[in-house]
Amino acid sequence: MPYALPAARVLGLTLALMSAAPTALAAEGWSVVPASGGAADGRPSVYAEGAPGTVLQDAVSVLNPGGRPLTVELRGADADDTAGGAFTGRERPTDTGAWIAFAGRADGRRTAVRTLSVRVPAHTRADVPFTIGVPAGAAPGDHPGAIVAGGGGRTSALRVQLRVAGPTLSALTVEHVRVGGGRISYELVNRGTTVLAPRLAVHADGVLGTLLDRAPRTLPVELLPGRRVTLHEPWTGPPALDAAEVRLTVTAAGGVRSTATASVRFVPWEVPAGAGGVLAAVGAFVVVRRRGRPGGWRPWRRRRRAVDDAASEQPCTEVELTGAVA
C-alpha cells in the first residue's frame, strides 16, 4: 500500500514549536495536527476527496513540546454529533474511521495498521503517514471522520473531512417544535449526504400582532449526514396572556429550506387562582344568604346547590387545563 511520506519521518524532526498549526486540543501540552507545517500554511483539519475504490494519502504530526518522551496511540474514528450538535467520535467505526490505516510494522515489515502507538521524544515532532482506502461501494457525499490520539492521560481528536466523488444531496428538516419553560425546542435532521451549517429564523404572531421576529443567523452546529440534534431557542419575557403561532425557518447551502410551526396559548396561573377565590367567596355569600332566609335550612336544596357548585367550578378547571404552556 503506497504512502505519501517515507517511513523514516514517522519519528520526525526536532523543531522549535513556537508556531504550531491549529490543533484539535486547546490545552497546553502535546497536540496532533495535519502534517503540513506551521501557522502560515497549517490546516485546521485533514481534507481528502476521491472516487470510490481509490486510496488517499496524508499524514499527521504529533507535537511534544514537553521535556519528557511521550507515547501516543492513534486510531481512526467516525465523526458524530452529540444530541446538542457538538462534535464527537464513535467508539466503533464503520465508515471513514474504519477506512483509515497508519504506516506501521508487523513481523519486521512495514504494513497498514488500524491502531498505531508512536513514541515522541521531548521537544520533537513525529510525522505519521496514513491512508484512507475508500471502498468501491462507498456512497457519494461527505463522510466525516477523525483521527483520535490518546496519551499522557488525555485524548484529542483531529477532524478528517472526506468527500467521496459523485452526485450529492443537501436536505434538511426541522421537526417537533415545542414551546415552554422560556424557550422554543426543536429538532434538526440532516436527510442528505453533505455536512450542513444551518441558519435559523424565528417568527411568532400573537392575537394582536408580532411577538418575535428574529433574522436568520448561523447556528453553532455542524450537522452531519443522517444525524438528528435537539436545539433550544431562548424566549425570555413571553406574553402573559395570548395565543401565538411560532414559525421556525431553517436554511443551508445548496438551496436547503425547511419550515415548521407550533401553536401555543399563554394563560397566567394567577388568573385561575384568582377566579377560584372569587367563586369561593361568592359561593359562601350565597350559602349565608340562604341560611338566613325564613324557613331555615332545607335538605332538598343540597342537591341543587351541589349542581350549582359544580357548574361554578367547571370554568376554573378548564382554565387550569389550558393554562399550562402547550
Side-chain angles (χ1 to χ4, degrees), residues 74-309:
L74 302 175
R75 62 179 176 87
D78 295 343
D80 202 358
D81 287 315
T82 65
F87 176 83
T88 186
R90 293 182 176 180
E91 288 295 329
R92 297 182 179 179
T94 59
D95 200 70
T96 301
W99 306 342
I100 294 175
F102 301 95
R105 287 188 173 275
D107 298 328
R109 295 181 300 175
R110 191 177 70 178
T111 185
V113 295
R114 301 299 179 189
T115 302
L116 180 66
S117 182
V118 180
R119 182 173 174 81
V120 188
H123 309 295
T124 301
R125 180 187 77 193
D127 294 335
V128 184
F130 71 93
T131 61
I132 305 175
V134 183
D142 292 335
H143 294 259
I147 292 178
V148 178
R154 297 192 274 109
T155 301
S156 175
L158 175 66
R159 297 193 182 201
V160 176
Q161 303 182 46
L162 171 65
R163 169 160 288 192
V164 178
T168 60
L169 172 66
S170 297
L172 175 69
T173 58
V174 53
E175 304 174 359
H176 303 141
V177 180
R178 303 173 300 278
V179 182
R183 64 185 186 179
I184 304 170
S185 302
Y186 60 99
E187 295 180 7
L188 294 182
V189 186
N190 187 339
R191 302 189 179 278
T193 60
T194 61
V195 177
L196 298 176
R199 291 172 58 83
L200 173 70
V202 182
H203 189 88
D205 286 322
V207 174
L208 301 179
T210 300
L211 301 175
L212 283 179
D213 191 14
R214 297 177 182 173
R217 76 179 194 283
T218 301
L219 297 173
V221 174
E222 187 179 68
L223 192 56
L224 308 184
R227 307 304 199 271
R228 176 189 297 267
V229 297
T230 301
L231 301 174
H232 308 284
E233 181 77 4
W235 189 355
T236 57
L241 180 63
D242 208 338
E245 180 169 307
V246 180
R247 182 175 71 253
L248 303 185
T249 302
V250 180
T251 57
V256 174
R257 182 183 179 88
S258 179
T259 301
T261 61
S263 298
V264 59
R265 286 180 288 177
F266 298 95
V267 178
W269 289 108
E270 293 80 0
V271 171
V278 171
L279 291 174
V282 172
F285 175 76
V286 170
V287 169
V288 172
R289 287 291 301 272
R290 287 181 175 177
R291 288 184 176 181
R293 291 177 180 176
W297 180 254
R298 298 182 181 181
W300 62 268
R301 290 182 176 174
R302 183 174 304 169
R303 178 177 176 81
R304 175 62 182 274
R305 187 174 69 255
V307 174
D308 292 342
D309 291 346

Side-chain angles (χ1 to χ4, degrees), residues 25-31 63 65 70 72-73 148-156:
L25 181 66
E28 294 182 358
W30 66 267
S31 56
L63 310 179
L70 172 72
V72 175
E73 183 177 272
V148 178
R154 297 192 274 109
T155 301
S156 175

Side-chain angles (χ1 to χ4, degrees), residues 6-23:
R9 294 184 62 189
V10 173
L11 291 179
L13 305 174
T14 300
L15 74 162
L17 298 175
M18 300 300 294
S19 59
T23 72

